Structures are given as C-alpha cells and as structure tokens.
Amino acid sequence: MGAQRDDPFAEAAAEARRRLVAVLEAEGALPDPAWRAAFAAVPRHLFVPYYYLGVMGGYERLWRDDPDPLRREEWLAVAYEDRPLGIRLRDGDLVSTASQPSLMAGMLHALDARDGDTALEIGTGSGYNAALLAHRLGDTHVTTMDLDTDITDAARAHLDAAGYHPAVVTGDGARGCPGRAPFDLIVATCALPSVPDVWLAQCRPGARIVAPLSTGVLRLRVRDAGHAEGRFLHTSAYFVPLRGAAPAPPEVRTGGLPRRALDSELFRFLLTLTAGSLDPYEAHALWQREGRPERERYGVTVGDGRQWAWLDDPEGPYSWPLGA
C-alpha cells in the first residue's frame, strides 16, 4: 500500500473514499475483493489537485488550493463522486480525463488479473488508474504511458505523493512499450479506431486486452502475436481518442436518418462500430431486424493481418472491417 505524506485532507478523504467504495459496491462494480481493497486504499484526490467540470458555455475549475474553504470542500467531495473529471484542456477542448470510477472498476475487473501478471496501461491521465494497478499487482509489474511529457510528469508526481512507483513512460501508446514487454494485461483509457497490431506482439499468449472502441469497451484474449478475439462489455464508454501513430477514426455518417433512430444509444454504438463500411440505412435495418442487440452480442477478431467486428459469430453473416 502506498504511504501518503503530509496530506491535510487525509482524514476527510478517507471518509469520502469509504462512501465511494460503498457506492461502487452497491452498483455491483467491485465483485473482486482485490479491486475493492485497491479502491479503498488509493486516494483519488491526490491525483486530481485540480479538475474541470462542464458548465454552460465551457468549464469550471475546482482546485485543492482555492482560498475559499467551501470551494476546497467542494473540490474534495466531487473528487470522490462516481463521475469523470477533466484534467487537461487544450484550446478549450479536453485532452485528458480522470475516468469515472465505476467504469474503471468494470474495466479492471474484465482484465481478470492474477498475482504476478504484468500490465501496460495506455493513457496515463492523472495516474490514478496506474495506482490501482500498482496496488493490485505491485509497482514493478505495472507500466503506464502517455504521449505528453506534461501528463507523465504530473502523474509521476501524483503517484509519488500517494506512495506508488510504477514505471511511467512518455511515448506513443499506439506503438506499445517494447522495452517493458511482454505483458499479461493491456488496458487503454483512450478510444481506439482499431487494435494496434504491435500490442498483440508485446503480449504473452493468453494475455487480456481491455480497451474502449466505438462507444463500448472491448475485451480481447490474445492467442499469439497475430491473433486475438473477444466481445464487448455491456457498458457504454466515451473516452478521448488515442493519439500518436493511431489512424484517425472513420467518419460517422448518419445519412439523413430520422432523429428517433439516432436517439438510441445502442444504435449509435453500431453506427460508430461500422462507420466507413456500412451504409447508415443498412445499419439501421440490420439493428432492427436483429432485435436491437445489446453490446455483448458484438465482438472483434484480429487475425491473419486483418481485423473485423461482428454480431453474434465471427464467422457469421454480419461482419465489418474494423476502422475502415
């Protein structure tokens, strides 16, 4: 467990953390006692000394050192709510966030982590997720990377303040981290247009990859350096895109579909997943014909130099090139 030093908010934060864990347990997000222990121990507030909340016309900044004691109390309370927090703005747009804790818990659980596993996190953000991984697996078994030096420098300082010391690497997550490979687990906290081939090459056989794709979370099991397959989790997920060498996501076209069709979050998932390879009206007809399928019916296969998404069966009638 990390050792926190000189934290004037420690007592209030411990109580706030207990409340957050209770919320996550009530939502069924912490079925594994090992991850429950991690969320109970890791102080989220040390990783978000300031953050941005969306308000009408822009963002509001809350920060630890606000001269107003009521604002400081608000900063601490919101830091332990089950909500995402913006931590980096560039030209008015969010480029990095601290993810919603319940979503993080679901993704970490999907990794099926075991003692001794080595993990690579793509998208360091605040460093909080890396601290949870380090608490579960140990510092020496965790690598986290981000493209921007200012993000990795800040995350390293946050991790140190909380008493965790995983490897923090500045680099392009789309290229993985060959110097620290092989990995048993890869988890991404940024949205992918497709699965980078090099990730599979840096995994041990049987490794698990959990990453946002379209507006869902994909869980892959790696067979070997060129093959992996898996399905989507039930949850929706919206992350900032993976930057660097990753290809740009295909443009999502609505083709003049009526508003009532686009109101369905599950249809928008299919529309995004098949962007560039399926006409929007064809996608809508398929979605209705197949009973408006939930995310768990979709999956992705990587093999023989290609990738495709599918409904129900990777060899079935409904499949689409991924990231076309």
Side-chain angles (χ1 to χ4, degrees):
M1 180 183 296
Q4 301 154 41
R5 303 184 299 274
D6 303 324
D7 179 11
F9 300 97
E11 184 175 348
E15 179 58 34
R17 197 154 57 250
R18 283 190 288 270
R19 290 195 298 269
L20 173 62
V21 169
V23 168
L24 298 181
E25 285 193 305
E27 294 176 356
L30 293 174
D32 184 339
W35 289 119
R36 184 196 183 284
F39 277 88
V42 177
R44 192 186 192 209
H45 70 287
L46 293 184
F47 294 88
V48 287
Y50 63 89
Y51 51 81
Y52 301 93
L53 301 178
V55 295
M56 185 68 69
Y59 294 94
E60 175 189 21
R61 184 176 185 260
L62 294 177
W63 62 308
R64 175 187 57 199
D65 299 322
D66 196 299
D68 183 342
L70 293 180
R71 295 282 287 177
R72 293 198 298 271
E73 288 182 14
E74 183 182 8
W75 161 79
L76 183 65
V78 174
Y80 283 100
E81 290 181 357
D82 185 25
R83 63 188 295 175
L85 303 172
I87 58 173
R88 284 286 188 281
L89 283 177
R90 182 172 298 153
D91 299 326
D93 295 323
L94 282 176
V95 297
S96 185
T97 62
S99 302
Q100 184 174 359
S102 57
L103 178 57
M104 296 170 66
M107 293 174 67
L108 291 170
H109 181 71
L111 287 171
D112 190 21
R114 303 153 193 171
D115 292 347
D117 280 350
T118 56
L120 172 64
E121 179 193 27
I122 307 296
T124 302
S126 69
Y128 177 57
N129 201 51
L132 294 167
L133 286 163
H135 187 93
R136 170 66 180 86
L137 300 172
D139 287 344
T140 60
H141 289 252
V142 176
T143 303
T144 182
M145 65 187 306
D146 209 291
L147 189 63
D148 294 336
T149 301
D150 58 341
I151 291 177
T152 52
D153 285 350
R156 194 178 290 110
H158 299 158
L159 285 158
D160 182 65
Y164 296 98
H165 302 92
V168 182
V169 177
T170 304
D172 185 352
R175 303 183 188 280
C177 191
R180 297 276 296 178
F183 301 104
D184 301 291
L185 313 169
I186 294 181
V187 58
T189 56
C190 43
L192 310 178
S194 58
V195 182
D197 294 332
V198 295
W199 288 8
L200 273 61
Q202 294 174 26
C203 282
R204 292 188 178 94
R208 284 79 68 200
I209 296 174
V210 174
L213 194 150
S214 178
T215 62
V217 176
L218 176 66
R219 182 185 188 270
L220 293 174
R221 184 171 291 274
V222 177
R223 192 178 84 197
D224 55 40
H227 299 83
E229 190 169 272
R231 289 181 180 266
F232 285 86
L233 306 185
H234 73 279
T235 185
S236 60
Y238 297 87
F239 286 82
V240 296
L242 175 66
R243 295 175 293 139
E251 181 182 358
V252 179
R253 296 177 293 113
T254 61
L257 284 168
R259 177 62 181 271
R260 64 181 180 276
L262 299 173
D263 282 344
S264 169
E265 205 274 338
L266 285 173
F267 173 63
R268 295 198 303 272
F269 166 74
L270 173 61
L271 196 62
T272 306
L273 187 64
T274 60
S277 60
L278 192 62
D279 177 83
Y281 278 91
E282 293 175 2
H284 192 251
L286 182 155
W287 183 69
Q288 290 187 309
R289 185 169 63 248
E290 291 301 314
R292 304 182 177 188
E294 301 281 342
R295 282 182 175 79
E296 299 97 312
R297 289 178 58 186
Y298 297 92
V300 167
T301 299
V302 181
D304 302 320
R306 64 190 186 99
Q307 302 184 24
W308 66 98
W310 39 266
L311 176 65
D312 292 332
D313 184 346
E315 303 301 329
Y318 302 125
S319 63
W320 313 274
L322 198 58

